Amino acid sequence: MSNIGSYEHHLEDFDSEIAKRELDWKEGELLNIGHMCSDRICQRGHGDRTALIWEGFGDKSARYTFNDLRVLSNGFAKFIRDDLGVGVGERVCIFMDKIPSLYLSFVGVLKAGAVAQPLFSAFGDESLEVRLKSAGTTAILTTQKHVKKVRKILDRLPDLRHVVVVEGNPDKLKEAERFFDVEAAPRVEEFDSFRADPESRSVIHYTSGTTGQPKGAQHVHNSIWSQALTAKWVLDLKEDDVYWCTADPGWVTGTSYGIIGPWALGVTQAVLDSGFIAARWYRFLQDHKVTVWYSAPTAIRSLMREGEEVVREHDLSALRHLASVGEPLNAEAVIWSEKVFDGKAFHDTFWQTETGSMMICNYPGMPIKPGSMGKPFPGITGAVLDLKTHEPVTEPGKVGLIAFRPGWPAMFRIYWNQEDVYRSKFVGQTDGRTPDELRTADDLWYVSGDRASIDKDGYYWFVGRDDDVINTGGHLVGPFEIESALIEHEAIAEAAAVGKPDPVNMEVVKAIVTLNPGYEPSGDLELSIMNFIRKTLSPLAMPQEIEFKDKLPKTRSGKILRRYLRALEWGEDVGDLSTLEED
Ligand code: PRX
């Protein structure tokens, strides 16, 4: 029997207190996410249960019980609060590979009352700088492997008071850097976790939009209710599960469902910190008897490419539930998974950094229509809005903008220091309303920036994004960020970055550039530009193709017509050029 039982039934009986009842949480209990993911699980008698099974490159491995998680996160919390003097609400960046300290420190930062700002460890110095500057980050926790990137930008980050290295050789540190190895430090049995109220800030995730640099979506401790309930009902997590979320906590899936949701339920998580190799992934599933697996379409398509033989070489009989997020899950991938994993199909889920928790899902027990994202989570009012009038579309199959009535607990509270951009995500009468009033208004829609249609049975079908943001392998990259970096390359005069179709990653980045006088197109130059972006931004942002042009198409006011260039890549009808002009 699945946790959710009947989806239809919950549409009728849903109330805002259900999550609390499902977690057996009583008013007056401490609501700090860090505490709820560790201390509370121990207080309920599960301190000896495994919280984290970890494997890294080579044969590195480790295991932590919930009691270990409690004590070691206390260690981080005490270090952050007492040794560094980081105050409540200050941002602490966690910049490391998927090593145990990432998970332990995330819980510790929240216990200390600071805001966790996880950033993808493959980010180059420029991606890092933009996000640390925007958040006014006070402290960064990193490793010897990545600290060089921090050193490069430190001078330009006046707010960054502490650089802490949590793994590596302490003798290799610069003078102002601190070394803190939580496992070598004295165990901290007791820590007085920050008494968060529901609206206390918890996690900030940077996400890319179509214009401007990435924006910091600010979340609060109250998000735990949405995250735990969806983990319970959609991922169907039960106390004896071994659950693997393949996402990196530098992205929202890796925190909402790679840390918070499952640990709030006291579930064992398995983490594999090594690159993608199909046989390695299957061996990991087999060795740890993973029962529930949350992954992404690009990974699933990559597994499909490796074929069925390698699946059959492994005993995956423990697997019982599969789910996916981040990009459209094509029908073939659903059908393939059902075939090779013994009748278990990947269940697509749709949500965003801003929503903080799953919004449209396929539920255990509800028939899957392969290729559809499913239906809105109980308690969530979803719609697709007419592209022009912004009225909810009533006609089945008609394409519109995916929108939700605001106000669920995990919804982001603001884009950090960018209230105007936050406001622009709502349609309806927004004037004169505070950010909190927008979030709790029952006459407004929060618009996701994606297009979909709803069929006669209420299933949502993804159509595409409503903007130029590039989704590569389930990771959003902003064209503006790439273009800004491209024109820093000495050879480039002007640049546009667009997504082009890719059979595995859905989209990859393509750059279209003009060159400065004295530079000629060449294979070497192409490589030099690619490497430049890989190093300064990230491997995800690196263009897979560079097209050299004499000039770029522009609007009358001189702005590059990126949408026109994008339409060309997708073979779309570019129609009347004036409709493609950006404001
Ligand atoms: O465009 C949609 C796509 O990913 C975007 C959100 O990306 P991000 O904020 O990085 O969060 C990713 C994981 C929660 C969405 O606006 N997206 C996410 N899930 C799906 C999807 N597109 C199609 N189908 C999905 N299931």
Side-chain angles (χ1 to χ4, degrees):
M1 174 70 172
S2 67
N3 286 333
I4 190 170
S6 154
Y7 166 73
E8 307 293 336
H9 173 76
H10 285 301
L11 294 179
E12 283 149 35
D13 81 349
F14 194 87
D15 70 68
S16 58
E17 300 299 297
I18 281 190
K20 294 178 184 165
R21 291 200 295 276
E22 291 275 333
L23 259 72
D24 194 21
W25 189 87
K26 307 274 182 313
E27 259 344 296
E29 277 191 62
L30 181 55
L31 175 78
N32 183 308
I33 291 176
H35 167 88
M36 288 178 71
C37 287
S38 56
D39 303 54
R40 185 169 189 270
I41 306 300
C42 298
Q43 285 162 4
R44 296 169 69 80
H46 306 304
D48 292 335
R49 185 184 293 161
T50 303
L52 179 65
I53 300 170
W54 177 84
E55 280 189 21
F57 282 98
D59 56 4
K60 282 200 215 145
S61 68
R63 256 175 197 264
Y64 299 83
T65 63
F66 276 97
N67 194 48
D68 296 330
L69 173 61
R70 180 183 73 79
V71 172
L72 295 170
S73 61
N74 281 350
F76 270 112
K78 182 171 182 304
F79 175 74
I80 288 162
R81 182 194 283 176
D82 298 347
D83 294 14
L84 300 183
V86 169
V88 167
E90 290 190 52
R91 274 72 59 209
V92 176
C93 174
I94 302 172
F95 185 56
M96 53 189 94
D97 298 344
K98 288 191 282 179
I99 56 173
S101 278
L102 190 167
Y103 299 83
L104 304 170
S105 65
F106 182 90
V107 174
V109 168
L110 297 181
K111 282 184 172 180
V115 173
Q117 182 191 13
L119 289 179
F120 186 42
S121 63
F123 276 157
D125 50 284
E126 205 157 312
S127 292
L128 191 60
E129 181 182 342
V130 163
R131 291 159 176 82
L132 295 178
K133 205 175 258 166
S134 162
T137 308
T138 307
I140 185 165
L141 311 178
T142 188
T143 56
Q144 196 188 319
K145 181 175 167 195
H146 294 292
V147 74
K148 284 188 238 56
K149 296 185 263 189
V150 183
R151 287 177 189 154
K152 240 175 132 176
I153 55 176
L154 198 56
D155 284 352
R156 298 193 287 277
L157 298 168
D159 294 325
L160 192 63
R161 298 200 304 269
H162 310 284
V163 177
V164 182
V165 173
V166 303
E167 189 187 80
N169 180 350
D171 299 334
K172 296 256 165 89
L173 301 194
K174 301 266 186 224
E175 213 182 294
E177 293 163 1
R178 303 271 305 248
F179 187 75
F180 180 72
D181 177 350
V182 73
E183 307 217 29
R187 282 167 75 90
V188 179
E189 285 294 336
E190 298 296 329
F191 181 79
D192 187 18
S193 285
F194 168 62
R195 319 249 124 214
D197 69 42
E199 292 302 302
S200 300
R201 290 183 273 126
S202 57
V203 182
I204 187 165
H205 271 295
Y206 274 76
T207 183
S208 296
T210 191
T211 51
Q213 293 288 5
K215 299 159 223 335
Q218 179 65 64
H219 292 282
V220 295
H221 282 268
N222 210 37
S223 70
I224 195 167
W225 302 122
S226 311
Q227 290 153 343
L229 189 64
T230 45
K232 187 160 184 181
W233 284 2
V234 184
L235 298 174
D236 201 36
L237 292 180
K238 302 179 178 160
E239 290 198 337
D240 53 359
D241 273 316
V242 178
Y243 162 73
W244 182 23
C245 170
T246 60
D248 187 302
W251 310 94
V252 71
T253 308
T255 56
S256 291
Y257 298 102
I259 301 181
I260 304 172
W263 275 349
L265 298 172
V267 169
T268 302
Q269 300 207 60
V271 169
L272 176 61
D273 183 31
S274 78
F276 177 83
I277 300 170
R280 179 84 180 87
W281 276 37
Y282 291 132
R283 185 155 55 83
F284 188 72
L285 289 167
Q286 168 185 276
D287 289 354
H288 301 296
K289 300 191 170 50
V290 171
T291 53
V292 180
W293 185 18
Y294 195 29
S295 198
T298 290
I300 300 162
R301 285 191 292 268
S302 304
L303 293 171
M304 278 172 81
R305 285 226 298 209
E306 302 291 324
E308 289 172 41
E309 193 57 35
V310 59
V311 186
R312 273 190 245 109
E313 285 163 8
H314 296 85
D315 175 6
L316 305 182
S317 53
L319 268 183
R320 65 171 187 84
H321 190 57
L322 278 49
S324 159
V325 65
E327 337 143 46
L329 182 65
N330 45 317
E332 299 75 34
V334 177
I335 293 162
W336 175 82
S337 59
E338 188 161 25
K339 185 168 124 215
V340 303
F341 299 120
D342 236 352
K344 279 147 283 195
F346 273 98
H347 287 59
D348 194 12
T349 64
F350 168 92
W351 56 291
Q352 307 179 295
T353 304
E354 289 85 344
T355 70
S357 62
M358 298 169 179
M359 302 304 284
I360 301 173
C361 314
N362 286 283
Y363 305 90
M366 187 178 91
I368 294 183
K369 295 193 187 189
S372 160
M373 306 192 295
K375 298 185 181 185
F377 190 74
I380 299 289
T381 306
V384 305
L385 306 184
D386 185 274
L387 298 173
K388 289 207 176 76
T389 64
H390 288 168
E391 288 300 320
V393 167
T394 49
E395 207 180 303
K398 189 167 174 219
V399 175
L401 300 168
I402 301 178
F404 304 103
R405 284 277 187 232
W408 63 95
M411 185 178 181
F412 75 135
R413 297 308 197 253
I414 198 82
Y415 287 127
W416 191 246
N417 285 335
Q418 297 194 66
E419 192 182 313
D420 49 336
V421 191
Y422 172 79
R423 285 184 171 279
S424 71
K425 298 290 287 186
F426 294 85
V427 302
Q429 184 48 52
T430 58
D431 289 353
R433 285 170 141 169
T434 64
D436 259 358
E437 286 166 352
L438 296 177
R439 185 180 53 82
T440 48
D442 56 12
D443 58 333
L444 299 180
W445 293 102
Y446 162 77
V447 180
S448 75
D450 294 291
R451 293 181 181 196
S453 65
I454 308 176
D455 71 15
K456 61 175 188 1
D457 301 320
Y459 282 76
Y460 284 59
W461 296 79
F462 187 79
V463 172
R465 287 196 57 99
D466 190 47
D467 58 21
D468 298 343
V469 173
I470 303 162
N471 186 335
T472 180
H475 299 104
L476 301 188
V477 285
F480 179 83
E481 194 178 10
I482 305 173
E483 289 159 1
S484 308
L486 280 167
I487 54 175
E488 282 171 24
H489 188 283
E490 56 185 12
I492 296 179
E494 293 175 311
V498 298
K500 73 168 211 167
D502 182 84
V504 173
N505 290 288
M506 188 169 99
E507 282 184 294
V508 289
V509 177
K510 174 175 174 179
I512 302 144
V513 302
T514 64
L515 296 179
N516 282 321
Y519 290 92
E520 289 298 324
S522 73
D524 280 353
L525 181 57
E526 205 170 332
L527 275 182
S528 142
I529 296 170
M530 287 174 173
N531 270 325
F532 179 73
I533 298 298
R534 186 177 55 78
K535 275 191 74 176
T536 54
L537 295 185
S538 77
L540 297 171
M542 184 182 86
Q544 304 290 317
E545 185 188 335
I546 294 174
E547 186 179 336
F548 298 101
K549 275 189 175 285
D550 293 333
K551 59 179 196 199
L552 296 181
K554 295 204 182 115
T555 61
R556 247 167 266 136
S557 61
K559 275 191 83 177
I560 295 168
L561 269 171
R562 187 200 292 140
R563 290 183 64 191
Y564 168 72
L565 293 166
R566 184 187 180 281
L568 288 183
E569 293 305 320
W570 286 82
E572 285 164 6
D573 179 13
V574 289
D576 175 7
L577 269 191
S578 63
T579 63
L580 290 162
E581 294 200 1
E582 292 167 358
D583 38 57

